[in-house]
Amino acid sequence: LGMQLLADFSEEGDVKCLGIIPGRVKKFSSKLLKIPQIGWNRVEFTGENPLLSNIASGSYFYFVNSFYFEAPEQSILGTTKYTLPFASIIQKGNFYATQFHPEKSGVPGLQLLRNFCEQC
C-alpha cells in the first residue's frame, strides 16, 4: 500500500482513504511528459528529520506513479518535480511515507530504510 492511502480522498478509483494526513490524491496531467512517471527523479528535502539523516537533498530515488498527493505543507519532508512540484516524502506523528520505492533506490533508498528502522 502506498503513501496515497493516508490521504482523505483519491481520484484513483474516486475512493475515500484513511484520512490520516489531510489532502487529496490527484492524477498527473501532461501532454509533454510520459504518465506514469517511471524512473529516477530528485527529491529535495524541505527541512531536517531523522528519516533523512546521511542522505543529501537532491538525491535520486526510483518512482513509478501516475498520481500525486496534495498534502499540507507541514506534512511534507521532501518534494519532487514531475509536471508540477509534489510531495514525495510525508510525515505526521509516527506516520512516514514516500511516493518513490526506497527498496529500488540504491544507496539513498537503503539509507532511508536504515534511518526508519533505527531512528523513527
Side-chain angles (χ1 to χ4, degrees):
L1 297 174
M3 133 177 167
Q4 299 167 353
L5 185 62
L6 301 176
D8 292 319
F9 179 84
S10 176
E11 290 181 0
E12 185 174 9
D14 291 324
V15 297
K16 184 178 178 186
C17 299
L18 296 175
I20 293 169
I21 297 178
R24 296 177 64 88
V25 175
K26 296 186 164 190
K27 186 167 179 60
F28 281 118
S29 176
S30 176
K31 294 182 191 229
L32 302 175
L33 296 172
K34 191 174 164 187
I35 308 295
Q37 171 187 203
I38 299 175
W40 298 89
N41 205 339
R42 289 179 178 264
V43 175
E44 301 292 338
F45 303 151
T46 60
E48 293 186 23
N49 187 284
L51 185 68
L52 309 175
S53 295
N54 300 311
I55 305 170
S57 184
S59 291
Y60 282 89
F61 291 86
Y62 188 78
F63 288 79
V64 178
N65 60 314
S66 299
F67 294 81
Y68 64 96
F69 187 172
E70 259 189 358
E73 192 173 320
Q74 66 269 21
S75 296
I76 300 172
L77 298 179
T79 62
T80 299
K81 187 171 181 186
Y82 195 79
T83 75
L84 52 89
F86 66 93
S88 51
I89 307 173
I90 58 172
Q91 182 252 337
K92 180 178 179 185
N94 63 350
F95 287 93
Y96 290 85
T98 63
Q99 183 63 59
F100 52 84
H101 291 267
E103 77 283 2
K104 295 181 178 183
S105 295
V107 173
L110 292 175
Q111 184 64 50
L112 187 136
L113 292 171
R114 185 177 300 112
N115 291 344
F116 181 78
C117 290
E118 294 175 358
Q119 299 184 42
C120 296

